[in-house]
Amino acid sequence: MAALLLGLTSNALNADELNGNLSEGSIGGVIEVPKQSSPVNRGYLVFMKWCAGCHAPDYAAVGTEAAGLPIPGRTALGTYKLRQRYGRTLPAALEQRTDLTAGLITFFVRHGANLMPAFRKTELDDADLSNLVAYLDRNASAR
Amino acid sequence: MQPPNVGQADFSRALREFEDIVGHDGVFSSDDDLRAYNDAYDPFSVEPSQQLRASAAVAPVSVEQVQAVVRTANKYQIPLYTISTGRNLGYGGSSPNYSGCVIIDLKRMNRVVEVNEQGAYVVVEPGVNFMELYRYLEEHHHPFMVATPEPGWGSPVGNALDHGVSYVVGDNFSAATGLEVVLPSGELLRTGMGALPHGRLWHSFPYGFGPHIAGLFSQSNFGIVTKMGFALVRKPEMQTSFTVSSVKSDDLYRLIDIVQSMREQGLLYLTSVASPIRSPMGQPGQPVDLHVKRAKELLRSSNGGSATEWDQLAHEAGVSVSVVTGSIRGPDRVVRATLEHAKELFAAVPDVSFEQGKVYRFPLDVEAIAPNERPEFGIPSLWGFSNLIFGDIPRGMYFFSPVCRATADDLFALKQTIREVVLEYADEAMQDLLLGWIYCNTVYPKAFVFAYPFPVTSDSRINQKYRDLFKRLVEACGAKGWGEYRAHVAFQGEAMDQYSFSNHSLLRFCETVKDAIDPNGILSPGKSGIWPHKLRSVRQ
């Protein structure tokens, strides 16, 4: 309230993601920034910001009627389409995949596919892309 | 690709100068890098000769760099096309109106310049997207909502300048306060009170002194907006909605009158209208019932079905014919009183049902709200793309976006005009898409805006037929006063052509301004159908 009365003004530049407390989430909302700045953690932030809104696992928040929601309320577009394509042979949610290679991820990010647009380097630069690969490839030892 | 009428040597020199201004990693000219600037939902995706393509892209990080880029473009007569976040999918994305433009990509101008809690406004650069603004407000504990449209990766600046909409404010340009603009000469201008040496009132008083010119920079090519202020909406104590349903078609007149009168009094911040029985595609995910066939037949009949026929079908199907909704937010007691008032008003219409929606209290439990509903609470998301799950649109779509008055008379009349064109020229798939009732959102207080999706297919002949249909609809609706409120970059000329009062005096005025302030015609040629003198033959 004090800030309100004083007409608090924020002039600070946007902080670098790993220096801040919160980061963007394309599911809707914000996420906490991991304390350690590893490529995997940075890639997690990239995924949550640009990819999760279409590629997250199904929404199933505790205490809601998620199961009774219409499909668009429960399932993101990319997850739905990949489930249609792969059935039970591969996980529909990208974070659960163990077969995603750097080449494949780079191709889809820079070319897009179907309704997914390509991402420009001004949105997601090569360092972001490299971190995203580290995050999505983190389970690859299981391959 | 090179800019038209620019020699290879000059283009190379210009690219080097752009690099001197923004750095090597801020200029993109390889085919690989430029691919991402193509319209992801290109209406000409299988017709390469008609595709709109950029020759390069430049990404400044400061207003001074924007000014320098513009001066260089003037020096070499290179056309520029401005994007803020380039995510206006369905209206062109990051694609220019004119092939060969150098894209001036403002995504890296991504500062939240100021949040003023007492004044309830924010000033942002054009590269900030809704999700980033939301994070900033939350991180700094500012008590405001974000006026986001469904996809949250767009820019508040770009969205408002294109007359975009949100669930929170509705008409986002109406929330704009002051603008900072780089003019085609490279000079810097601030609108309203921002033009004073000390712009303390820049975002607090709309006009300043003299002509109010902020609107000149929306849907135009008269300048590059580098900062923009927006009035913010404080998070309320409570947010809820109501839905009023009737099984009688004619009730729609009274329901709309009541809900719009509440909107006009400032009691509701959004309203919407629907006719579920006239939406035989149904809500996504819902099973198709036996009455769908009959509903489609009625929609395809020459008059769209009489009120009696719809009432009968609705009775048999157990589906509502006439539905309106109203959205309320504010202090607990005010919201409850508004709901009671609404109930009393609608009780005057016999046999309608009044259903109060779920009550949401702030601070919200975000996780408990389905992701595709979060934008309704000022929480940007990309999950809204899930609404495309059931559509057969692998190559995307562009929108037919007419506006009508927020009355049942005008709504039925618009639907009838669309029907007449569709029955004569559309195939079965497009008939279903265009005759079914999609929601009419009165994000604008006195008007319904529509966004009919036109799918892009893998068959160029079908795409050409759809484009012909689109143009016929734009013309038929335009002739009756239902203009497009926004349009894909490839069709903005058609949209503007309908605004023909007094021998197209609006367009001629815009062209006069364009030639006066941008004599080299470098800024976004063709935007909204406004071409500079030297390219006016392109339009013809």
Side-chain angles (χ1 to χ4, degrees):
Chain A
M1 182 55 77
L4 187 96
L5 294 173
L6 291 169
L8 181 71
T9 298
S10 304
N11 282 313
L13 301 185
N14 294 318
D16 177 62
E17 284 171 332
L18 284 187
N19 291 331
N21 301 316
L22 300 174
S23 187
E24 294 84 14
S26 52
I27 294 173
V30 288
I31 56 169
E32 287 190 25
V33 174
K35 288 185 179 147
Q36 290 189 327
S37 172
S38 65
V40 168
N41 283 349
R42 284 179 176 272
Y44 162 72
L45 297 180
V46 173
F47 182 85
M48 291 306 292
K49 176 170 181 172
W50 293 112
C51 316
C54 286
H55 289 290
D58 285 356
Y59 168 66
V62 177
T64 70
E65 309 84 18
L69 290 171
I71 291 175
R74 277 184 280 135
T75 304
L77 177 62
T79 302
Y80 183 88
K81 294 294 183 187
L82 291 175
R83 183 171 292 139
Q84 270 189 323
R85 171 166 299 185
Y86 296 120
R88 291 169 184 269
T89 60
L90 285 172
L94 291 185
E95 290 167 284
Q96 295 164 6
R97 295 271 290 267
T98 58
D99 62 323
L100 296 176
T101 62
L104 200 65
I105 295 164
T106 300
F107 179 85
F108 281 112
V109 167
R110 295 294 184 219
H111 286 76
N114 300 320
L115 290 174
M116 171 182 161
F119 287 81
R120 311 188 307 276
K121 287 183 176 173
T122 52
E123 298 169 299
L124 202 152
D125 64 19
D126 286 338
D128 287 333
L129 182 54
S130 171
N131 290 326
L132 178 66
V133 167
Y135 178 64
L136 291 177
D137 195 38
R138 72 198 184 290
N139 297 322
S141 56
R143 328 193 248 261
Chain B
M1 167 167 281
Q2 280 183 221
N5 307 315
V6 177
Q8 176 63 49
D10 272 357
F11 188 46
S12 297
R13 275 192 284 271
L15 289 179
R16 280 198 295 275
E17 287 187 30
F18 289 148
E19 285 190 0
D20 291 342
I21 297 164
V22 302
H24 178 68
D25 66 353
V27 176
F28 306 97
S29 56
S30 72
D31 289 346
D32 270 355
D33 286 342
L34 290 178
R35 186 188 311 110
Y37 288 87
N38 298 344
D39 181 4
Y41 295 175
D42 191 345
F44 306 102
S45 68
V46 291
E47 296 156 273
S49 67
Q50 298 195 65
Q51 289 167 356
L52 297 165
R53 292 287 180 262
S55 58
V58 184
V61 297
S62 68
V63 63
E64 293 80 12
Q65 290 187 355
V66 174
Q67 290 177 281
V69 167
V70 167
R71 288 184 180 120
T72 296
N74 267 307
K75 182 172 159 188
Y76 295 102
Q77 309 266 307
I78 289 174
L80 302 172
Y81 183 81
T82 311
I83 62 169
S84 29
T85 64
R87 287 297 174 205
N88 205 6
L89 297 178
Y91 293 109
S94 44
S95 160
N97 290 76
Y98 179 54
S99 272
C101 280
V102 171
I103 303 289
I104 186 157
D105 180 348
L106 302 178
K107 181 69 192 105
R108 287 177 176 165
M109 288 184 67
N110 61 355
R111 291 186 314 145
V112 176
V113 179
E114 179 186 359
V115 178
N116 189 299
E117 288 203 4
Q118 193 175 38
Y121 66 78
V122 61
V123 183
V124 289
E125 292 184 330
V128 174
N129 71 28
F130 292 100
M131 298 187 300
E132 291 160 346
L133 176 59
Y134 178 81
R135 184 264 298 166
Y136 186 94
L137 295 179
E138 292 297 300
E139 194 162 60
H140 295 84
H141 307 291
H142 294 305
F144 300 111
M145 308 174 88
V146 172
T148 182
E150 231 162 9
W153 54 13
S155 155
V157 174
N159 169 276
L161 291 177
D162 199 32
H163 304 167
V165 299
S166 70
Y167 291 112
V168 174
V169 170
D171 169 8
N172 277 352
F173 191 70
S174 72
T177 54
L179 277 67
E180 178 186 85
V181 186
V182 173
L183 297 173
S185 62
E187 277 186 294
L188 198 61
L189 174 147
R190 288 183 172 179
T191 63
M193 288 288 187
L196 288 166
H198 189 301
R200 66 172 66 238
L201 284 163
W202 190 14
H203 305 292
S204 304
F205 182 80
Y207 305 123
F209 185 78
H212 179 44
I213 64 169
L216 277 177
F217 301 103
S218 74
Q219 290 193 347
S220 82
N221 46 16
F222 300 155
I224 297 173
V225 176
T226 47
K227 287 187 189 70
M228 195 163 167
F230 294 94
L232 290 168
V233 174
R234 287 185 199 280
K235 289 176 180 173
E237 260 179 43
M238 180 191 282
Q239 179 170 319
T240 189
S241 62
F242 62 79
T243 301
V244 185
S245 307
S246 163
V247 292
K248 294 179 197 158
S249 185
D250 285 343
D251 279 350
L252 196 61
Y253 292 82
R254 291 188 71 187
L255 298 187
I256 290 177
D257 285 348
I258 293 170
V259 84
Q260 287 308 112
S261 73
M262 291 189 71
R263 176 80 184 270
E264 285 158 13
Q265 294 171 69
L267 300 174
L268 308 174
Y269 66 92
L270 280 185
T271 50
S272 76
V273 174
S275 182
I277 192 66
R278 292 187 180 90
S279 309
M281 299 297 284
Q283 293 298 304
Q286 299 296 310
V288 174
D289 69 43
L290 297 172
H291 302 278
V292 164
K293 186 168 173 286
R294 178 69 183 136
K296 286 186 178 180
E297 286 170 2
L298 283 178
L299 288 168
R300 287 176 186 164
S301 63
S302 60
N303 69 349
S306 68
T308 308
E309 287 172 305
W310 283 113
D311 291 358
Q312 178 64 30
L313 183 62
H315 177 73
E316 293 167 8
V319 176
S320 301
V321 186
S322 304
V323 174
V324 297
T325 71
S327 301
I328 314 168
R329 65 176 173 232
D332 185 318
R333 285 190 294 176
V334 174
V335 171
R336 290 186 186 286
T338 306
L339 280 168
E340 287 307 310
H341 180 58
K343 273 184 204 168
E344 287 173 15
L345 292 174
F346 286 105
V349 187
D351 303 324
V352 298
S353 78
F354 184 99
E355 186 182 347
Q356 187 191 315
K358 188 172 174 182
V359 171
Y360 293 86
R361 292 183 177 281
F362 287 71
L364 295 165
D365 178 2
V366 176
E367 293 301 312
I369 301 171
N372 62 335
E373 294 176 359
R374 293 178 191 174
E376 297 171 31
F377 302 90
I379 306 168
S381 162
L382 295 181
W383 198 287
F385 281 99
S386 63
N387 290 322
L388 301 176
I389 276 176
F390 301 106
D392 183 20
I393 43 172
R395 292 181 178 272
M397 67 279 187
Y398 53 96
F399 294 109
F400 166 53
S401 308
V403 185
C404 76
R405 291 168 53 202
T407 66
D409 275 330
D410 221 38
L411 178 58
F412 280 118
L414 170 65
K415 296 280 187 187
Q416 183 59 23
T417 294
I418 291 173
R419 176 176 298 103
E420 287 163 8
V421 174
V422 164
L423 290 180
E424 188 167 356
Y425 297 106
D427 62 22
E428 197 168 314
M430 288 306 284
Q431 285 188 7
D432 281 350
L433 203 66
L434 292 164
L435 294 179
W437 279 42
I438 56 175
Y439 279 95
C440 325
N441 284 310
T442 42
V443 291
Y444 288 83
K446 297 178 188 298
F448 294 134
V449 297
F450 299 84
Y452 289 99
F454 270 64
V456 182
T457 77
S458 301
D459 185 328
S460 61
R461 288 169 305 174
I462 292 175
N463 290 341
Q464 179 63 56
K465 280 174 61 180
Y466 287 178
R467 292 198 298 273
D468 290 344
L469 174 64
F470 173 85
K471 289 176 186 176
R472 287 180 191 280
L473 284 166
V474 169
E475 289 169 4
C477 291
K480 295 187 177 179
W482 299 303
E484 298 287 283
Y485 85 103
R486 61 207 294 204
H488 186 280
V489 292
F491 308 126
Q492 289 175 352
E494 284 84 353
M496 179 56 103
D497 279 349
Q498 310 313 309
Y499 291 77
S500 58
F501 171 75
S502 186
N503 189 25
H504 299 267
S505 59
L506 172 65
L507 177 59
R508 287 186 291 109
F509 171 80
C510 292
E511 289 172 342
T512 303
V513 173
K514 180 69 177 167
D515 292 342
I517 64 172
D518 186 9
N520 292 323
I522 58 155
L523 282 195
S524 301
K527 178 78 178 174
S528 294
I530 305 164
W531 292 93
H533 178 74
K534 69 179 184 182
L535 293 175
R536 230 158 265 161
S537 59
V538 171
R539 186 191 75 206
Q540 289 147 3

